[in-house]
């Protein structure tokens, strides 16, 4: 059991990285990855939201939605749960870590609409994952997102003052970096489980 959960964690973080292989959560990935500290803060917030959302949505699905046979409301219910969790994080950061709250700016509330968060919840339901597997899938996916955004921020910080042709300055170089990262993460497919 532990081995299986560890493989799920590795698979979701590296092999099936939510940003670099599934292309979910691109907006915060590109928008917040200018500074490593801000990216790490966003990654931490996403880890919390996705992990807790995976647990709560699994309990809601198995405990209420399936029993009432209202599976057609999955998406709406999951979005409401995610929005509530994001609001809790925003209140926490505003009160206890105001600098991080300010640096995340508009991207913090955007976690609510981050398709990676909803994607994990829906994937857990589609794959009929039990509670523990859902939580581990959520944690692995969120750690993969955090890893990708922090690596991207580190690369962007290091290459910010490089002599780049005018046509590649700004967004083009960021997108090329994301493409190269996706190719690099594709190499983890040899670890397919």
């Amino acid at each position: 059991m532990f081995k299986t959960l560890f493989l799920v964690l590795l698979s979701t973080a590296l092999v099936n990285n939510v940003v670099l292989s599934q292309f979910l959560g691109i907006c915060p990935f590109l928008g917040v990855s200018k500074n490593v500290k801000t990216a790490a803060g966003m990654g931490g917030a996403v880890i919390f939201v996705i992990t807790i959302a995976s647990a709560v949505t699994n309990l809601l699905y198995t405990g209420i939605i399936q029993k009432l046979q209202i599976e057609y409301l999955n998406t709406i219910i999951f979005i409401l749960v995610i929005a509530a969790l994001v609001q809790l994080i925003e209140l926490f950061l505003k009160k206890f870590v105001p600098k991080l709250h300010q640096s995340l700016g508009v991207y913090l509330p955007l976690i609510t609409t981050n398709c990676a968060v909803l994607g994990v919840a829906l994937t857990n339901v589609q794959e009929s994952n039990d509670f523990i597997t859902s939580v581990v899938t959520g944690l692995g996916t969120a750690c993969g997102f955090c890893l990708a955004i922090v690596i991207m921020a580190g690369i962007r910080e290091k290459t910010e003052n490089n002599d780049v042709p005018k046509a590649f300055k700004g967004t083009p170089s960021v997108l090329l970096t994301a493409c190269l990262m996706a190719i690099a993460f594709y190499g983890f497919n040899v670890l397919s489980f």
Side-chain angles (χ1 to χ4, degrees):
M1 176 72 176
F2 180 73
K3 181 181 176 183
T4 303
L5 292 176
F6 180 71
L7 293 177
V8 166
L9 186 71
L10 272 178
S11 173
T12 53
L14 298 176
V15 177
N16 298 315
N17 186 284
V18 70
V19 176
L20 300 172
S21 70
Q22 297 178 21
F23 308 110
L24 298 174
I26 296 290
C27 180
F29 174 70
L30 296 176
V32 182
S33 62
K34 295 175 185 166
N35 177 296
V36 172
K37 287 183 181 178
T38 306
M42 174 61 93
V46 168
I47 286 173
F48 178 80
V49 170
I50 288 181
T51 305
I52 301 301
S54 295
V56 172
T57 54
N58 181 277
L59 291 174
L60 280 173
Y61 183 77
T62 57
I64 298 172
I65 295 172
Q66 275 186 327
K67 289 182 181 174
L68 296 176
Q69 297 179 348
I70 55 172
E71 288 86 356
Y72 58 91
L73 293 176
N74 280 349
T75 305
I76 294 169
I77 293 169
F78 292 173
I79 289 172
L80 291 173
V81 167
I82 292 164
L85 289 170
V86 170
Q87 286 302 312
L88 287 173
I89 284 184
E90 187 166 14
L91 291 172
F92 175 82
L93 290 178
K94 193 173 190 175
K95 182 166 180 134
F96 296 108
V97 194
K99 284 187 178 183
L100 179 59
H101 179 266
Q102 189 176 20
S103 67
L104 290 175
V106 71
Y107 292 102
L108 185 59
L110 281 178
I111 294 175
T112 303
T113 59
N114 185 342
C115 52
V117 183
L118 182 60
V120 172
L122 293 173
T123 300
N124 282 331
V125 167
Q126 288 172 350
E127 294 179 0
S128 301
N129 289 340
D130 61 8
F131 178 76
I132 304 253
T133 306
S134 292
V135 172
V136 171
T137 300
L139 177 64
T141 301
C143 288
F145 177 87
C146 185
L147 178 68
I149 197 170
V150 168
I151 290 172
M152 174 62 100
I155 293 170
R156 286 178 77 174
E157 279 185 359
K158 294 287 183 191
T159 60
E160 186 175 321
N161 296 321
N162 287 358
D163 187 25
V164 178
K166 189 175 181 180
F168 289 104
K169 284 191 184 221
T171 304
S173 66
V174 172
L175 293 175
L176 282 172
T177 302
C179 290
L180 292 173
M181 286 176 61
I183 291 168
F185 269 68
Y186 185 74
F188 288 117
N189 276 340
V190 299
L191 300 175
S192 292
F193 309 108

